Amino acid sequence: MLFSGLPTRQESKGDVQRLSSSDLVMHFFGQQTLQSYRAHETILNQGDCTGYVFILVRGWTERRLGLPDGRCQTLSFGMPGDLYCTDLRARAPVNYTVSTITPVTIAIVGKLEFRAVLTGNPSLSRAFWREQQASLAIQQRWTGMLGLLGATEKVAHLFCEIYKRQEHRGGTRDGACVFPMTQTQIARACGLTQVHTNRTIQDLRRRGLIALRSRRLVVSDFEALARLAQYDCGYLDGENAPTKAACATV
Amino acid sequence: MLFSGLPTRQESKGDVQRLSSSDLVMHFFGQQTLQSYRAHETILNQGDCTGYVFILVRGWTERRLGLPDGRCQTLSFGMPGDLYCTDLRARAPVNYTVSTITPVTIAIVGKLEFRAVLTGNPSLSRAFWREQQASLAIQQRWTGMLGLLGATEKVAHLFCEIYKRQEHRGGTRDGACVFPMTQTQIARACGLTQVHTNRTIQDLRRRGLIALRSRRLVVSDFEALARLAQYDCGYLDGENAPTKAACATV
DNA sequence: GCGTGCCATTAACATAGGTTGGATATGCAA
DNA sequence: TTGCATATCCAACCTATGTTAATGGCACGC
């Protein structure tokens, strides 16, 4: 999911309606098996069937779709709190490859156990349904962005998204946040070449919209960046109505 | 959903595991309110909040994402059996606009009623979860296609998808099926201009891969078309493992 | 049967972004 | 400190796709 980690707020455990799915998993499943990976390792291969749901506990991941001819496209970046393999059928193959960008730790829960707990907890089910809805909304948004935006707008959009995701988790300070992706990885996410991504980033820098070095992103004027990227936060929390953008042509 | 209508098979009503969601809705909710629309009408506006889930019973629809500046991108085409507004929170806004391509009839179910029935039916819940997973997989696939493919491949991919969706419902004969979308609508789905879409379609025609006239698509050699489009049926049914496409770069 | 309007088709021209290949920088390991 | 690998940056060139604008065809209503 491009933005699965909904706002992590300080709440009582009882307020299930507002907890994020990863919180819920921790809450309901207690101790899980943990696994660690180094940077640039593959966690899951397109086509793999696994009997587990897993939760990203530490680090950043990249979810990619590969084509028969070898090209590949990044579908989303993962950060702590994101869930993978939520198709609960025992032998459901995954349609994407997940690999690590930084060192990563994941927690694993068996699908059987997962299903059993879900069945007994309507509120947990609802929370997962919601999260799933959010994932779909985000993927739809990203589909739109890839189809509609120019290179600069796409890259700016990605910066907005990564920044906001971290802001919601309290991961920003003075307009700065972590940004571990290389230009090549940004390029794969935006459907551009690495070379053009570089041109684009420099353009954004020249315009004073961002600063990016040593895995650190600084956004001094978020509004301006969002305007350029046509970035609309609405779709993230799903509570606020998104911009009613009229669509002229029918 | 680009391919929400999973194969419609002849099964006993009891075999819930294999029924499609729309079948299930019909099964569990019986009589619904029906509404009809003419071609080129808008059913739902981006930002609307509605208390209903609805099922496309007759006709074709287009789901679009609009941008503040007026541009818009088609996220998926809908055909009978597809569901909309599956976010079951009472006041969840939709992130897209749905409008009709042909005359359309939809069936409507109140979200409250929907939730109540879901809660009492774990198997129904599971079926919906599955469908939701499928939608996400399809949207991911489409994200990848928009990012990776060239114009000809994209258009070919769309033809493959529409053809296969209808084949699964028994809607094809001798390699032909209905195709009600205009070139402008195809263009919006593929992130291309109408002019270039036209060039592309003529190219596909010249190569003998498709015939397209008077809302009718003929695919004489599906394999060849699929090869060009890098189209992989795997992701549709979710049972077969998708092609294990190695992704060279990590 | 004749307009009216949408849709498909062409052509000429403009440009965003891809490709190649190589030069610097930066970080990590020995 | 040196060396190697990875990442960034740069320039010259090329091509796919966008833009604009005009024409022809077909379907539908009058």
Side-chain angles (χ1 to χ4, degrees):
Chain A
M1 320 156 223
L2 287 169
F3 191 97
S4 74
L6 300 174
T8 305
R9 309 190 189 92
Q10 302 299 333
E11 297 139 322
S12 74
K13 288 272 181 185
D15 186 3
V16 169
Q17 286 297 344
R18 307 213 129 267
L19 286 170
S20 76
S21 293
S22 58
D23 290 337
L24 284 167
V25 170
M26 298 301 179
H27 179 64
F28 280 97
F29 296 91
Q31 304 289 56
Q32 301 93 21
T33 308
L34 292 179
Q35 271 180 24
S36 289
Y37 297 84
R38 283 170 305 173
H40 308 296
E41 286 190 303
T42 296
I43 296 179
L44 212 56
N45 261 300
Q46 195 168 332
D48 280 357
C49 295
T50 164
Y52 302 91
V53 173
F54 68 85
I55 308 122
L56 188 51
V57 172
R58 177 186 66 108
W60 294 66
T61 63
E62 185 183 38
R63 180 190 327 225
R64 294 190 319 265
L65 176 72
L67 248 46
D69 71 2
R71 281 179 286 177
C72 73
Q73 164 78 28
T74 296
L75 300 174
S76 66
F77 292 113
M79 59 176 74
D82 288 344
L83 297 163
Y84 288 92
C85 297
T86 51
D87 187 331
L88 299 182
R89 282 171 296 172
R91 303 202 48 70
V94 292
N95 301 296
Y96 45 77
T97 296
V98 179
S99 57
T100 62
I101 291 175
T102 65
V104 154
T105 304
I106 61 174
I108 299 182
V109 180
K111 285 184 180 177
L112 276 180
E113 185 188 354
F114 205 93
R115 278 173 70 152
V117 174
L118 270 190
T119 305
N121 288 277
S123 56
L124 181 60
S125 298
R126 265 202 300 279
F128 267 98
W129 183 260
R130 237 174 37 227
E131 170 118 357
Q132 193 67 13
Q133 288 292 141
S135 299
L136 182 58
I138 293 150
Q139 200 67 51
Q140 285 173 344
R141 178 66 52 132
W142 201 241
T143 303
M145 295 305 138
L146 279 181
L148 285 171
L149 303 182
T152 316
E153 296 164 300
K154 282 195 268 200
V155 173
H157 195 274
L158 179 62
F159 286 145
C160 285
E161 183 179 300
I162 297 294
Y163 182 83
K164 275 291 169 196
R165 285 171 71 177
Q166 295 194 75
E167 191 182 63
H168 280 139
R169 294 161 199 229
T172 59
R173 240 180 80 171
D174 303 326
C177 66
V178 171
F179 195 97
M181 284 74 82
T182 67
Q183 294 189 355
T184 305
Q185 285 160 339
I186 298 172
R188 266 206 298 274
C190 295
L192 301 168
T193 57
Q194 180 270 320
V195 173
H196 197 65
T197 301
N198 180 267
R199 291 196 268 253
T200 300
I201 289 176
Q202 291 185 59
D203 181 33
L204 289 172
R205 278 204 268 252
R206 234 176 289 116
R207 299 203 218 175
L209 289 168
I210 60 150
L212 179 64
R213 37 176 274 273
S214 41
R215 319 289 98 152
R216 198 149 188 78
L217 170 69
V218 186
V219 181
S220 41
D221 183 355
F222 185 87
E223 289 310 318
L225 188 64
R227 208 172 322 117
L228 170 70
Q230 313 240 11
Y231 182 81
D232 168 19
C233 310
Y235 73 97
L236 295 180
D237 42 64
E239 298 285 340
N240 308 327
T243 309
K244 281 212 185 190
C247 185
T249 42
V250 176
Chain B
M1 318 151 223
L2 288 170
F3 191 97
S4 74
L6 298 175
T8 305
R9 309 191 190 88
Q10 303 299 333
E11 297 140 323
S12 74
K13 287 270 178 189
D15 186 2
V16 170
Q17 287 296 346
R18 307 216 129 266
L19 287 171
S20 77
S21 292
S22 57
D23 290 337
L24 284 167
V25 171
M26 298 304 178
H27 179 64
F28 280 97
F29 295 92
Q31 304 290 54
Q32 301 94 22
T33 307
L34 293 179
Q35 270 179 25
S36 289
Y37 298 84
R38 281 171 305 171
H40 309 294
E41 286 190 302
T42 296
I43 297 180
L44 213 56
N45 261 300
Q46 195 167 333
D48 282 355
C49 295
T50 165
Y52 302 91
V53 174
F54 68 85
I55 308 123
L56 188 51
V57 173
R58 176 186 68 109
W60 293 66
T61 63
E62 184 184 41
R63 177 184 338 219
R64 293 191 318 262
L65 176 72
L67 247 47
D69 72 1
R71 280 179 287 177
C72 74
Q73 164 79 29
T74 296
L75 300 173
S76 65
F77 292 113
M79 61 175 74
D82 288 345
L83 296 163
Y84 288 92
C85 298
T86 50
D87 188 333
L88 299 183
R89 284 171 297 173
R91 303 201 48 70
V94 292
N95 301 295
Y96 45 77
T97 296
V98 179
S99 55
T100 61
I101 291 176
T102 65
V104 154
T105 304
I106 61 173
I108 299 183
V109 180
K111 285 186 181 177
L112 277 180
E113 186 189 354
F114 205 92
R115 278 173 69 152
V117 174
L118 269 190
T119 307
N121 288 277
S123 57
L124 181 60
S125 300
R126 264 201 301 279
F128 268 99
W129 183 260
R130 235 172 41 224
E131 171 118 355
Q132 192 67 14
Q133 287 294 141
S135 300
L136 182 58
I138 291 149
Q139 200 67 51
Q140 285 173 343
R141 178 67 52 133
W142 201 243
T143 303
M145 294 307 136
L146 279 181
L148 284 172
L149 302 182
T152 316
E153 295 164 302
K154 283 195 267 201
V155 173
H157 195 274
L158 180 62
F159 285 145
C160 285
E161 186 180 298
I162 296 295
Y163 182 82
K164 274 290 168 194
R165 284 170 75 177
Q166 295 194 75
E167 191 182 63
H168 280 137
R169 294 162 199 228
T172 58
R173 242 181 78 171
D174 302 327
C177 66
V178 171
F179 195 98
M181 285 74 83
T182 65
Q183 293 188 356
T184 305
Q185 286 161 339
I186 298 172
R188 265 207 299 276
C190 295
L192 301 169
T193 57
Q194 181 269 321
V195 173
H196 197 65
T197 301
N198 179 268
R199 291 197 268 254
T200 301
I201 289 176
Q202 292 186 57
D203 182 32
L204 289 172
R205 279 204 267 250
R206 232 176 291 116
R207 299 203 219 174
L209 289 168
I210 61 150
L212 178 64
R213 38 176 273 274
S214 41
R215 321 286 100 152
R216 196 147 190 77
L217 171 69
V218 185
V219 182
S220 42
D221 183 354
F222 185 86
E223 289 310 317
L225 188 63
R227 210 172 318 116
L228 170 70
Q230 313 238 14
Y231 181 81
D232 169 17
C233 310
Y235 71 99
L236 296 181
D237 41 63
E239 297 285 340
N240 307 328
T243 307
K244 281 210 186 192
C247 184
T249 39
V250 176

